[in-house]
Amino acid sequence: MFDWKSFLESFEKKTLGIINITDDSFSGDGVLNSNQQLEKKFELAIKNNVKLLDIGCMSSKPGYKILKRNEEINRLNYFLKNKSKQFYYSIDTFNPSVAKKALDSGFLIINDVSGFVDEKMIELASQTKCGIIVMHRNPKSTYLHEKMKYLNVLEEVNTHLIDQIEHLIKNGIEKKQIAIDPGLGFGKNIDDSIDLFLNLKNLINVYPLVVGYSKKKFIEQINMTESEMQKHCIDSGVALVRLHLDN
């Protein structure tokens, strides 16, 4: 069974590196069908001492296009044919069949930005005992990027995450499998994302916290350098900072 605590003990650098096997990533760094660009990402990960890579085969940017299942799997197959054996991998997907293919191919973690709303994804994680990253999802939202209104975003996100986790545990997920993500920029306006980012230390601290702010619009209004933002995350108790591999 995957155990986040023991898994993270070997990490000197608390970074989850992003590799997008896409042609429409919001960051413009997709490496679909470009072995040279993919190899460059691996080189940057090694240079920066990144051990865990998050592989996404479908963009989840606002207005993203939902791929047919076979198309997302074909992109994953491209990556599998060219992957490096020097890293651990998580799969960034909300498609259970894609997640299963990744787990069957040696991936350790499912990173589901939809918040594990699909019972088949929960069943898969329960059966395989893999690691999971549970992104916050407002229970009233009808789609991923629906902007929701919050009176107290920190309090409400904590409450929602607790409810999400309770549902997972009731359905066979073990606590040691779970890490959480507050979902900065997902279904939240800029002010709410900034509020969450500046108050990371006040999010529930029972589970490892994964935070992704890289290249998102709200950081333009935060008066911090990239290194200062990373330090803020680590000082706030973040287990992994999800970052694009640029330099």
Side-chain angles (χ1 to χ4, degrees):
M1 178 188 296
F2 185 90
D3 183 338
W4 272 106
K5 183 178 179 181
S6 60
F7 178 67
L8 291 170
E9 283 176 352
S10 65
F11 281 50
E12 294 178 20
K13 191 164 185 179
K14 296 182 176 182
T15 302
L16 172 58
I18 300 168
I19 295 184
N20 293 311
I21 312 299
T22 62
D23 56 7
D24 60 347
S25 161
F26 85 94
S27 58
D29 67 343
V31 297
L32 180 62
N33 297 324
S34 175
N35 292 24
Q36 184 178 3
Q37 290 299 315
L38 179 57
E39 188 61 35
K40 185 177 179 180
K41 295 294 183 186
F42 290 144
E43 291 172 0
L44 287 169
I46 292 170
K47 173 186 172 184
N48 289 285
N49 196 24
V50 176
K51 290 187 174 183
L52 176 61
L53 298 177
D54 194 36
I55 310 303
C57 300
M58 185 179 82
S59 173
S60 57
K61 67 182 180 181
Y64 66 92
K65 173 187 173 185
I66 296 179
L67 299 179
K68 294 179 180 178
R69 182 182 63 181
N70 288 346
E71 189 172 352
E72 191 176 354
I73 287 179
N74 287 341
R75 292 181 178 188
L76 177 59
N77 283 334
Y78 163 75
F79 176 77
L80 294 174
K81 290 176 183 177
N82 296 283
K83 78 172 184 174
S84 168
K85 295 181 180 179
Q86 298 185 62
F87 306 98
Y88 301 112
Y89 294 104
S90 61
I91 183 69
D92 177 358
T93 188
F94 44 78
N95 186 322
S97 60
V98 174
K100 184 178 187 306
K101 173 74 175 179
L103 294 176
D104 289 345
S105 302
F107 283 49
L108 300 178
I109 299 157
I110 301 172
N111 179 17
D112 182 352
V113 297
S114 75
F116 284 82
V117 295
D118 190 326
E119 296 298 324
K120 290 182 180 179
M121 191 73 95
I122 298 174
E123 183 179 356
L124 175 65
S126 174
Q127 290 176 347
T128 60
K129 302 302 179 186
C130 64
I132 65 173
I133 301 173
V134 185
M135 183 178 284
H136 166 258
R137 178 74 177 262
N138 189 306
K140 294 181 180 178
S141 68
T142 56
Y143 59 94
L144 194 59
H145 287 287
E146 182 179 4
K147 292 289 187 286
M148 307 302 293
K149 293 182 179 179
Y150 295 93
L151 297 176
N152 184 323
V153 68
L154 181 65
E155 183 178 303
E156 290 173 70
V157 165
N158 274 335
T159 297
H160 297 158
L161 281 168
I162 290 169
D163 290 344
Q164 287 173 263
I165 290 165
E166 285 181 353
H167 178 71
L168 293 173
I169 291 173
K170 285 179 181 178
N171 285 276
I173 305 294
E174 301 284 344
K175 290 183 178 180
K176 62 179 66 177
Q177 293 175 251
I178 299 172
I180 59 172
D181 181 337
L184 302 177
F186 282 85
K188 301 168 184 72
N189 63 35
I190 287 176
D191 288 341
D192 287 335
S193 290
I194 291 172
D195 193 358
L196 282 173
F197 181 78
L198 295 178
N199 289 282
L200 291 172
K201 65 182 179 181
N202 295 316
L203 286 165
I204 54 174
N205 58 9
V206 179
Y207 302 93
L209 180 60
V210 179
V211 171
Y213 62 78
S214 184
K215 299 190 177 182
K216 293 181 179 177
K217 193 170 183 180
F218 75 88
I219 65 173
E220 297 172 4
Q221 298 187 28
I222 295 177
N223 189 27
M224 293 184 192
T225 64
E226 174 61 34
S227 60
E228 287 172 338
M229 286 190 288
Q230 290 187 42
K231 185 177 186 301
H232 166 70
C233 287
I234 302 307
D235 290 347
S236 300
V238 171
L240 287 171
V241 183
R242 188 175 181 272
L243 296 173
H244 291 86
L245 299 166
D246 289 331
N247 50 55

